[in-house]
Amino acid sequence: MRINKFMSLTGYCSRRETDRLIGAKRIMINDKVCEQGDTVELIDIVSVDGEQIKIKEKLKPVYIILNKPVGITCTAQPLVKKNIIEFINYPQRIFPVGRLDKASEGLILLTDDGDIVNKIMHAEHNHEKEYIVRVDKPVTETFIEGMSNGVEILNTITKQCAVSQIDDNEFSIILTQGLNRQIRRMCKVFGYEVERLQRIRIMNITLGSLEVGEWRNLSEVELSELLSQL
């Protein structure tokens, strides 16, 4: 099987994170530096930074959600201060599905199931993510219409999305893509600065009453509905 699939089956990291490790020459296959596209057999010895990685016995995957506080970075890299893995301190290896930038807060899913990451994150799958955003000046109809119809950022035009005003300086937005700092960049085009950005929903999973800094396991009902949409 391809090395990316092998790594996701071990629960060590996602396929995308595997690409990063390969680029950093941290993965070895039988004492040879792994290259993009390499394949492995179950008898091969795969290691990361000298630690052998094995496919786990079939265990029930972990799916949890965290209400991420501002100041926590969504990375599994241990050298990054205040990284999300250190913050949550879960007793087994998990990784975040996607990102919330350091200055943002709210719902993020963490798992050891590497296969679901791309299915949730890729824009072509049109999976919804909902946010509540507070900006530095009153929201106007022109702003709402402009945000809804697509904004030119990062050499592309964002997909049309649902935007609705909540109060004078606050609105909700539902995205089906995840460009880098997308909402902040979109707002800036119209002369607005984001003061607070909170994600409250990913597909069928909602933040609900989960307090900032707290996490919980997905319920069986939530997980069943989530997997049925992938």
Side-chain angles (χ1 to χ4, degrees), residues 18-58:
T18 299
D19 288 336
R20 194 193 66 77
L21 292 174
I22 292 172
K25 301 188 182 302
R26 294 172 57 189
I27 301 179
M28 305 286 288
I29 302 175
N30 299 329
D31 296 324
K32 181 181 177 182
V33 175
C34 177
E35 302 289 345
Q36 292 287 354
D38 279 355
T39 59
V40 295
E41 304 287 343
L42 294 181
I43 60 172
D44 290 328
I45 298 175
V46 178
S47 61
V48 177
D49 299 333
E51 175 191 353
Q52 186 174 351
I53 309 300
K54 297 180 180 180
I55 294 179
K56 301 182 297 185
E57 294 181 14
K58 191 64 175 178

Side-chain angles (χ1 to χ4, degrees), residues 154-184:
L154 299 173
N155 299 314
T156 189
I157 297 177
T158 61
K159 289 184 175 183
Q160 291 188 350
C161 58
V163 184
S164 58
Q165 187 167 355
I166 297 174
D167 62 26
D168 286 349
N169 288 54
E170 200 167 59
F171 65 94
S172 68
I173 182 169
I174 300 173
L175 300 181
T176 56
Q177 63 185 144
L179 302 177
N180 180 255
R181 297 173 65 85
Q182 179 172 344
I183 295 172
R184 296 178 188 276

Side-chain angles (χ1 to χ4, degrees), residues 124-139:
E124 62 264 26
H125 296 147
N126 293 316
H127 296 315
E128 292 185 347
K129 303 174 189 68
E130 184 173 358
Y131 304 80
I132 302 296
V133 187
R134 186 174 65 233
V135 288
D136 63 339
K137 57 186 179 182
V139 171

Side-chain angles (χ1 to χ4, degrees), residues 69-80:
V70 170
I72 300 300
T73 302
C74 290
T75 180
Q77 292 302 302
L79 296 180
V80 177

Side-chain angles (χ1 to χ4, degrees):
M1 70 185 78
R2 294 177 73 89
I3 183 63
N4 299 68
K5 182 175 182 180
F6 174 86
M7 293 295 287
S8 69
L9 288 175
T10 68
Y12 185 89
C13 63
S14 68
R15 299 186 188 202
R16 184 173 295 181
E17 178 68 7
T18 299
D19 288 336
R20 194 193 66 77
L21 292 174
I22 292 172
K25 301 188 182 302
R26 294 172 57 189
I27 301 179
M28 305 286 288
I29 302 175
N30 299 329
D31 296 324
K32 181 181 177 182
V33 175
C34 177
E35 302 289 345
Q36 292 287 354
D38 279 355
T39 59
V40 295
E41 304 287 343
L42 294 181
I43 60 172
D44 290 328
I45 298 175
V46 178
S47 61
V48 177
D49 299 333
E51 175 191 353
Q52 186 174 351
I53 309 300
K54 297 180 180 180
I55 294 179
K56 301 182 297 185
E57 294 181 14
K58 191 64 175 178
L59 299 176
K60 189 175 182 180
V62 173
Y63 303 94
I64 65 178
I65 59 169
L66 167 71
N67 187 346
K68 185 191 89 68
V70 170
I72 300 300
T73 302
C74 290
T75 180
Q77 292 302 302
L79 296 180
V80 177
K81 293 182 178 180
K82 293 187 177 181
N83 70 77
I84 195 169
I85 302 304
E86 178 185 76
F87 176 81
I88 201 168
N89 195 28
Y90 196 76
Q92 67 190 73
R93 186 184 296 277
I94 56 174
F95 45 86
V97 180
R99 292 175 177 268
L100 272 175
D101 66 58
K102 189 174 181 178
S104 300
E105 61 187 284
L107 178 63
I108 189 158
L109 174 67
L110 297 102
T111 183
D112 60 352
D113 180 359
D115 281 338
I116 76 165
V117 177
N118 289 339
K119 294 177 182 177
I120 291 178
M121 297 308 301
H122 279 191
E124 62 264 26
H125 296 147
N126 293 316
H127 296 315
E128 292 185 347
K129 303 174 189 68
E130 184 173 358
Y131 304 80
I132 302 296
V133 187
R134 186 174 65 233
V135 288
D136 63 339
K137 57 186 179 182
V139 171
T140 65
E141 290 185 10
T142 300
F143 172 77
I144 294 294
E145 183 178 353
M147 292 282 285
S148 301
N149 289 331
V151 182
E152 187 174 351
I153 59 171
L154 299 173
N155 299 314
T156 189
I157 297 177
T158 61
K159 289 184 175 183
Q160 291 188 350
C161 58
V163 184
S164 58
Q165 187 167 355
I166 297 174
D167 62 26
D168 286 349
N169 288 54
E170 200 167 59
F171 65 94
S172 68
I173 182 169
I174 300 173
L175 300 181
T176 56
Q177 63 185 144
L179 302 177
N180 180 255
R181 297 173 65 85
Q182 179 172 344
I183 295 172
R184 296 178 188 276
R185 293 178 189 275
M186 291 170 70
C187 289
K188 194 163 187 174
V189 169
F190 295 96
Y192 288 76
E193 292 291 335
V194 172
E195 294 185 338
R196 185 188 185 206
L197 196 159
Q198 179 189 41
R199 184 158 62 195
I200 61 170
R201 178 171 66 89
I202 299 173
M203 298 167 64
N204 64 295
I205 310 301
T206 59
L207 191 60
S209 60
L210 193 64
E211 295 290 335
V212 175
E214 292 188 348
W215 63 269
R216 67 170 176 84
N217 293 291
L218 291 190
S219 70
E220 291 296 329
V221 172
E222 287 174 322
L223 179 58
S224 177
E225 184 175 348
L226 175 70
L227 296 178
S228 73
Q229 297 177 55
L230 300 178

